[in-house]
Each structure stands twice: as structure tokens, then as C-alpha cells.
Amino acid sequence: MNEENRITLILIDTCAFRDANIDFPGIVKSLLPSFFSTADEKGITLLTHPVLENEIHKHIEDSGIFKDYQSLLTQLRKCTSTLKHYKLDDVLLSSKISELDIQTKLFEAYQQYYQDAIRLDFGDPASVFELYFNSKAPFAMSGKKKAEFPDAFVFDATRKYLEKHPNDILLVISKDSDWTTAFNQIENVIICDSISNALTKISNIDSILSQEMLSQIFRGAYEEIISNAQQNVECECFELDDYENLNELEIESVKIDCVSDNFIPLKIARDSLLLSTNVTIKVSGYAEVFDEENSIWDSVDREYFYMAYADIDFTDAEAEVDCEILISFDFDDPENTAQVMEFHLLNQGNICIDCEGASIREIDEEELSVRVLREDKGYPRRNTK
């Protein structure tokens, strides 16, 4: 594999899109939109093949986004009577939701990215069968892996294209060992196992930003990142991950412990950096949790006859949540000019608190009554959820 600092073409295996949840519009994460935007900014051309396009359309039904939408439709149908009873049945909204063809929308987003792509010929069956009968990659040594025929047509068409265009450098994105084995035999091919790693690679083409400059930008914006993270996390809700039958949870304080510098650059430009990383949060509060030791179990009815609860304090329990950060900077002085333009937490519900390693103690009745008295007198609880 030659000239790893230069990439002119990209070919993406279907499995790489599946790993990215086929989220072409960026509904949940910005990974795919950022990847295609960066490739376009770098002038890199996409390669596609009829086999890959048909596989993408077929596997959209396997994506989490498609399954979540189907689940939403099912739950709306189940809750029709409840929604009507509480006058929450918005006929227009329900109609729009049911009429949304999410599979078509996802595929249209895919096609939009590939509208200017090079579409390879389907391939020569004679060449593919020659690979098969001679047990050459992507077929197994036994020559009996008939399931690899679709990949073989993609490989054959790509190989012939590169033979005609020897100055091109192709980035192949796949974790499939058959793809890796096959494309390792071709010069001017670079192989990457995921779209995230490929994004990092193409973002640094032409040395737009060195690794040191990326670190400088992050360091320069770190205090502002912490401040933004703190403001965002104070608006979130939490839940305890370590206790069942939680009866009450009160959050007294949340504090950003750190933001990981092991970030993934999602989009690099001369004056901005979009990155993905995670935030570690320290959480303190108290809760009413199920007390199994003092509860009474009915072995006949297989249920608790009496359920006891205990009041506990927890201090410095830990929570982690992914985030995306957009930072602007001056190319000539990145560390001293870095500023946070946007900060987004990526949790899609309550943030789970892990109490393992936290300081936990039971609250006695006297202390609990003092807290209740303070609340009755109007003293606010900080970050009550």
C-alpha cells in the first residue's frame, strides 16, 4: 500500500454503514454527515457499485432508527384509547407520523451523498468465476464461499477501475476479513476498519491540522468546554443505575469532573473543529431505595408481602455521557484563540449514575426530618430532578 498520505477515492462496505446505524441524515449522531462533508471538502471522490447500493437499501430495516420508528407506530396504536381519553390525540400529528416513510427518507439521504459518485460497472462474470474456481480472494481457499459472490463483483469492478487509473489512491472502509484480504493484494489501496477511523484519516489529509494543533485547540478551549458542559448537565435528569425499585431520587449537586482529551475529530476546517468525546460527571444526592434485608418475602405468592425502603446519601457518584463540541479558532494561533461555538450532550434520556466507588451512607430519621423542614420553609434544592 503506497502513498498513505494521499487519498483520492473512497469505497465503503455495507458493514461499515451498519456499524454507523445507517444514520445518513445525522438524526442521532453527526458521524456520517461529517464524514461525507469532510470527504467533499477534501475533493475526494466516492466509489459505488450496484451491489452495494442494493445492500444498503435492504439493510435499512436492520438499523436502530428504522426499528425505533416502527416501535413508535406500534406504541401509538396501542395507546390510542389513552391518548383520546386525555385529549392528547393530535390527528394531524398522528397522520404525519404514520405517513412518514422512514426507509425511503434514509435511502434518499444516502443517494444525496452519492449523487456525484463514480458508479462502477457491474463487473465481468467470467472474471468473478475465475476467482471462484481458483479460490482467490475474496473467496475462501476451499472455493466454496458462494455467499461472497456479491463482494467478488465489487472487488473485480474496483480492481479494473484502478488498473485504468493508476494515479488514484483508494481508501477502502471495511472490517470484513474477505475485503481486507482481497484489497491488500492491490497497490494504491489503504484499508480502514470503521468510518470513525477513516474520518480521522481523511481529516488530516494535506496536513490541514497536525495532531499537535488538534491538541492545542482542545487545550485552549478546555475551560470553556467545562463551563458549557456544566451549564448543559445542570438541565438534565438522572437515574441510579445500581438500585432496583427506586422510590425517590433527589440530586443535590452535579459537577463536571473532566472532559476526555481522547476525542474523535468529526470535521476539520481551517477555522473550526467539530469533535466527539465524553464527559465525566460527579453527582451527589440522596434517594429512597428498596431495602431487601428488612422486607418480607411471601414464598407462596412469590412476591413481597412488605417492602421496606431506606434513605441513603451518595457522594461523588459517577456518570459519563457522550458529547459533540464545535470549536472555532484562528489558524495562526489555534491555542490562544480557540472558542466553543456549540456544545451538545448526546444522551437520549436520563443520565445513568454509577454508584460503584461512590461514598454511600444511610440517613437517619433526625437528619431526614431536618431536610424536610428546610424544604417546608422554602429552601430550594439544587438540581432537584
Side-chain angles (χ1 to χ4, degrees):
M1 296 185 289
N2 300 325
E3 299 187 66
E4 291 200 16
N5 62 325
R6 190 168 71 90
I7 295 171
T8 63
L9 303 169
I10 296 177
L11 180 69
I12 307 175
D13 189 4
T14 309
C15 68
F17 285 134
R18 289 205 303 267
D19 289 344
N21 202 24
I22 312 185
D23 188 4
F24 294 108
I27 296 172
V28 177
K29 287 191 174 183
S30 302
L31 176 60
L32 288 179
S34 294
F35 175 81
F36 287 113
S37 174
T38 302
D40 182 61
E41 289 175 1
K42 302 292 183 180
I44 301 173
T45 302
L46 300 172
L47 284 186
T48 187
H49 188 277
V51 166
L52 297 177
E53 292 178 340
N54 282 284
E55 284 183 344
I56 286 295
H57 192 270
K58 174 183 177 181
H59 287 293
I60 284 177
E61 295 183 356
D62 299 327
S63 71
I65 292 173
F66 180 85
K67 290 179 179 179
D68 287 346
Y69 174 72
Q70 294 300 113
S71 176
L72 172 62
L73 293 179
T74 300
Q75 293 303 318
L76 284 175
R77 286 193 292 267
K78 287 182 178 180
C79 296
T80 298
S81 298
T82 302
L83 294 174
K84 285 183 177 179
H85 179 79
Y86 291 104
K87 298 180 180 179
L88 297 174
D89 53 323
D90 188 321
V91 177
L92 180 60
L93 177 60
S94 298
S95 176
K96 287 183 177 179
I97 292 174
S98 61
E99 291 174 1
L100 177 63
D101 186 346
I102 192 68
Q103 184 176 23
T104 297
K105 293 293 184 183
L106 292 175
F107 191 66
E108 286 176 348
Y110 162 79
Q111 290 178 311
Q112 186 69 28
Y113 293 128
Y114 276 83
Q115 60 182 343
D116 296 321
I118 295 175
R119 284 170 170 77
L120 299 171
D121 294 333
F122 197 89
D124 178 17
S127 298
V128 172
F129 272 98
E130 182 180 351
L131 294 173
Y132 173 73
F133 287 119
N134 288 284
S135 300
K136 293 183 178 180
F139 295 103
M141 293 304 293
S142 63
K144 296 181 180 180
K145 289 190 69 176
K146 297 181 180 179
E148 301 302 329
F149 267 103
D151 287 345
F153 276 98
V154 176
F155 170 71
D156 183 63
T158 305
R159 177 178 57 83
K160 290 178 177 177
Y161 180 88
L162 292 176
E163 288 175 353
K164 295 179 180 178
H165 301 84
N167 289 330
D168 274 308
I169 307 295
L170 172 66
L171 174 64
V172 173
I173 306 175
S174 177
K175 65 179 182 181
D176 189 322
S177 59
D178 294 317
W179 273 54
T180 302
T181 301
F183 282 103
N184 264 329
Q185 301 174 10
I186 305 177
E187 292 186 359
N188 294 348
V189 171
I190 302 167
I191 299 176
C192 211
D193 63 359
S194 70
I195 291 176
S196 293
N197 290 334
L199 178 53
T200 300
K201 186 178 289 293
I202 67 174
S203 292
N204 288 288
I205 291 174
D206 296 332
S207 299
I208 293 176
L209 291 177
S210 66
Q211 188 60 48
E212 175 58 27
M213 291 177 72
L214 289 172
S215 298
Q216 288 176 356
I217 293 166
F218 185 80
R219 288 197 304 266
Y222 189 76
E223 289 188 9
E224 194 175 359
I225 291 172
I226 293 290
S227 176
N228 275 263
Q230 185 68 43
Q231 292 176 21
N232 277 259
V233 80
E234 287 179 353
C235 299
E236 295 294 331
C237 295
F238 296 82
E239 61 184 50
L240 287 185
D241 194 35
D242 304 285
Y243 294 93
E244 297 181 0
N245 299 314
L246 186 70
N247 198 42
E248 183 181 3
L249 172 64
E250 299 296 341
I251 302 300
E252 294 184 322
S253 69
V254 291
K255 184 178 180 181
I256 301 300
D257 184 56
C258 66
V259 179
S260 174
D261 60 0
N262 186 25
F263 57 84
I264 298 174
L266 298 179
K267 183 178 179 181
I268 294 177
R270 190 175 178 85
D271 58 358
S272 65
L273 167 65
L274 176 64
L275 60 87
S276 172
T277 185
N278 63 78
V279 176
T280 301
I281 310 163
K282 295 294 186 180
V283 187
S284 298
Y286 61 95
E288 185 178 309
V289 299
F290 175 59
D291 184 354
E292 184 177 5
E293 184 177 342
N294 293 309
S295 298
I296 302 174
W297 175 256
D298 189 330
S299 58
V300 177
D301 292 335
R302 307 297 298 171
E303 62 182 16
Y304 282 99
F305 173 73
Y306 170 75
M307 296 181 67
Y309 289 87
D311 296 294
I312 65 165
D313 251 337
F314 56 90
T315 304
D316 287 338
E318 195 167 283
E320 285 192 359
V321 60
D322 291 338
C323 65
E324 290 182 355
I325 309 165
L326 178 63
I327 304 172
S328 67
F329 59 90
D330 186 324
F331 191 84
D332 295 322
D333 189 12
E335 184 166 1
N336 294 318
T337 59
Q339 289 185 316
V340 176
M341 304 301 293
E342 296 180 14
F343 183 98
H344 300 289
L345 294 175
L346 299 180
N347 57 301
Q348 295 185 20
N350 295 342
I351 298 175
C352 288
I353 304 170
D354 183 1
C355 284
E356 183 177 354
S359 174
I360 300 176
R361 68 179 184 88
E362 290 193 10
I363 306 172
D364 58 35
E365 293 185 6
E366 181 178 350
E367 181 180 354
L368 184 63
S369 64
V370 171
R371 294 189 180 192
V372 172
L373 180 61
R374 284 175 56 83
E375 294 159 14
D376 290 342
K377 289 185 176 182
Y379 291 98
R381 293 177 181 169
R382 187 166 178 259
N383 292 302
T384 300
K385 304 297 179 190

